[in-house]
Amino acid sequence: MSDTTESKRLTTAQDYASLIDKFDTFLFDCDGVIWSGPKLIPGVREVIAWLRTKGKNVLFVSNNASKSRPMYKKTFDDFGIDTTDDELFNSGFASALYLAKILNFPKDKKVYVIGMKGLEEELDAVGVAHCGGSDPAEMEYMPAKDYTSVTPDPSVGAVLCGFDAFVNYKKYSKAHTYLTKNPGCHFILTNTDATFPSGGEFYPGSGAMSAPLVYSTKMTPTVIGKPNSHMMDAILASKDFDRSRTIMVGDNLETDILFGQNSGIETLLTMTGVTNEDHLLGPKKSSTVPTYIVNSLGDFKVLVDESK
Ligand SMILES: O=C(O)[C@H](O)[C@H](O)COP(=O)(O)O
Ligand SMILES: [Mg+2]
């Protein structure tokens, strides 16, 4: 673990080479590191392929719960990045595992989902029943003061909230009702990212979608994704690595870098996502300090070119 209060900025091929030599396992965040919205970040495909030729372990650890792992695999395939299913870990998968394995979620109960098809698929994969989510009946406009479609359902044993491009007042009203009326109803968030990076711009993230429920219920949810340990538990359920030779590469100080620090591993911040220089140097700079900083993961491509 880095014990300096300053990060080391990587700018030369020598800097990149000495970092690669220090680590055997690379945990890569996705949004803002490998791609930004629909765009692959230049050089990244070549760097990831080259790391594999150097015998490095490569895992992908995303807080995005809108896609299932098979959907994520297709995203990597479409970008021409070779991956295998067992290298992909996202907060939807980790949330499903938490419900099934940690909570031993009862078979006679179901989860009310604020989220998309990908999150529902991960619940299906572990045999956890669910409702809400992508059900077309949930997409309807609900006139204010007409709560006839919001009926109690004692079989709902948890509310799980993730990235939902169709979030609406009806969903919030149903989730609020289950959380406040069903004794012991679990309140679980896939992640609490404030923003979602795309094309150099920033948009409301999953944390912004669950915030109304946290506010209306005054409840404290369990959060699964980075920086929380539940995300590492989901990885360690099937993978093992030497933490002293493992590095977390991410664009978000409050999720990726803090996750690395909470997990006892070194961290590399990339400046292609949600973090800018004001977060590092200005009066509002974060208290979370990465071990290393690089402009882009693609900058390591100079090593690929030199190795040809
Ligand atoms: O709003 C969200 O869910 C996050 O911004 C987004 O999904 C982060 O994904 P990651 O950077 O962890 O791949
Ligand atoms: Mg990211």
Side-chain angles (χ1 to χ4, degrees), residues 28-33 35 61-66 72 91 162-163 190-197 203-209 226 251-252 255-256 274:
F28 286 115
D29 171 51
C30 298
D31 288 319
V33 173
W35 53 70
V61 186
S62 173
N63 266 3
N64 194 311
S66 65
Y72 249 113
S91 62
F163 191 91
T190 60
N191 61 305
T192 51
D193 293 59
T195 57
F196 181 88
Y203 305 95
S206 300
M209 290 171 189
K226 300 169 288 183
D251 68 297
N252 188 320
T255 57
D256 305 312
V274 297

Side-chain angles (χ1 to χ4, degrees), residues 33 41-44 47 270 272 294-302:
V33 173
I41 289 168
V44 167
V47 168
T270 68
T272 45
V294 70
N295 284 333
S296 170
L297 176 62
D299 292 352
F300 282 71
K301 186 171 176 295
V302 67

Side-chain angles (χ1 to χ4, degrees), residues 209-272:
M209 290 171 189
S210 54
L213 263 185
V214 174
Y215 188 75
S216 70
T217 62
K218 304 273 186 289
M219 295 170 83
T220 304
T222 298
V223 185
I224 302 298
K226 300 169 288 183
N228 302 283
S229 60
H230 304 302
M231 192 76 202
M232 183 52 80
D233 294 343
I235 298 168
L236 294 175
S238 60
K239 296 288 181 184
D240 194 13
F241 40 76
D242 175 353
R243 295 188 192 219
S244 68
R245 291 192 57 84
T246 298
I247 189 164
M248 176 72 208
V249 184
D251 68 297
N252 188 320
L253 291 165
E254 311 318 328
T255 57
D256 305 312
I257 304 306
L258 192 53
F259 174 70
Q261 292 175 357
N262 292 347
S263 306
I265 62 180
E266 304 283 15
T267 58
L268 169 65
L269 175 73
T270 68
M271 303 300 283
T272 45

